[in-house]
Amino acid sequence: TTFEVADNALDPLGLPMSTYTPRTTLLLQHLQTRLQTLTVAGGYRTNVGNNVSLEREQAQDADAPLASVRMLSFEYSDGQVLPERTCQVQIEVAVPCTVANAGPEVAEAIEDVFELFRVPTSVALTTGVEAYIATAESAALERPETAIAVLAQIGLVAVISEP
């Protein structure tokens, strides 16, 4: 389905719709950019930031950690012209490991992500649009003994608001 937008259509902030990027997309792109700073050279324990995608990927390289960011859900608050959006976001981290080092490897990756988002923070996504981000939870996933990587999921809650 293709939607046509009138040349003079404006978004909620009065900007042309032709330049409008969904606020949830801006949030995911911001999180991806922040996660890309997770490198040993940047002072972290892992190099998860070297490979960050906006969708879940299968580990292709047993020697390199990777992360993905995806929107699980979002809902609008009621009764506002410019509604807040409460978003549930999942960061998934895959870390190469052996049976002997699986626990410590995934723990370091989780700690890196929590350190990055350790304090609830507000960030500007674009002019007049902010997101309040807080870490919600984490879980290491069961790993078959033959797996080349261990996975962890970190949940974030973000509230996007426009004045």
Side-chain angles (χ1 to χ4, degrees):
T1 304
T2 303
F3 296 97
E4 290 189 27
V5 177
D7 290 339
N8 60 352
L10 302 177
D11 76 358
L13 294 175
L15 301 172
M17 284 297 284
S18 60
T19 63
Y20 181 82
T21 301
R23 301 332 186 196
T24 50
T25 299
L26 293 174
L27 173 66
L28 293 175
Q29 290 169 342
H30 172 80
L31 295 173
Q32 180 184 32
T33 299
R34 293 237 354 235
L35 285 165
Q36 288 169 339
T37 67
L38 291 178
T39 63
V40 173
Y44 292 92
R45 297 166 200 83
T46 65
N47 282 313
V48 168
N50 286 340
N51 187 3
V52 182
S53 68
L54 291 180
E55 275 302 321
R56 184 179 188 178
E57 294 182 12
Q58 297 294 323
Q60 301 297 320
D61 182 353
D63 297 327
L66 60 88
S68 62
V69 182
R70 63 186 177 138
M71 184 72 60
L72 294 180
S73 66
F74 68 92
E75 72 180 49
Y76 290 96
S77 59
D78 293 330
Q80 296 182 16
V81 175
L82 295 173
E84 288 186 344
R85 298 157 188 83
T86 300
C87 307
Q88 302 289 326
V89 178
Q90 182 181 73
I91 297 170
E92 189 167 87
V93 182
V95 182
C97 66
T98 64
V99 173
N101 71 355
E105 293 290 331
V106 76
E108 287 181 352
I110 291 171
E111 286 296 325
D112 280 352
V113 174
F114 268 97
E115 188 172 315
L116 188 64
F117 297 106
R118 71 175 164 227
V119 180
T121 185
S122 288
V123 295
L125 298 178
T126 189
T127 304
V129 181
E130 290 188 347
Y132 174 80
I133 303 168
T135 307
E137 60 188 0
S138 71
L141 305 181
E142 284 292 321
R143 180 182 75 88
E145 287 188 29
T146 58
I148 60 171
V150 64
L151 299 177
Q153 294 175 334
I154 298 97
L156 300 179
V157 175
V159 178
I160 301 172
S161 60
E162 301 177 46

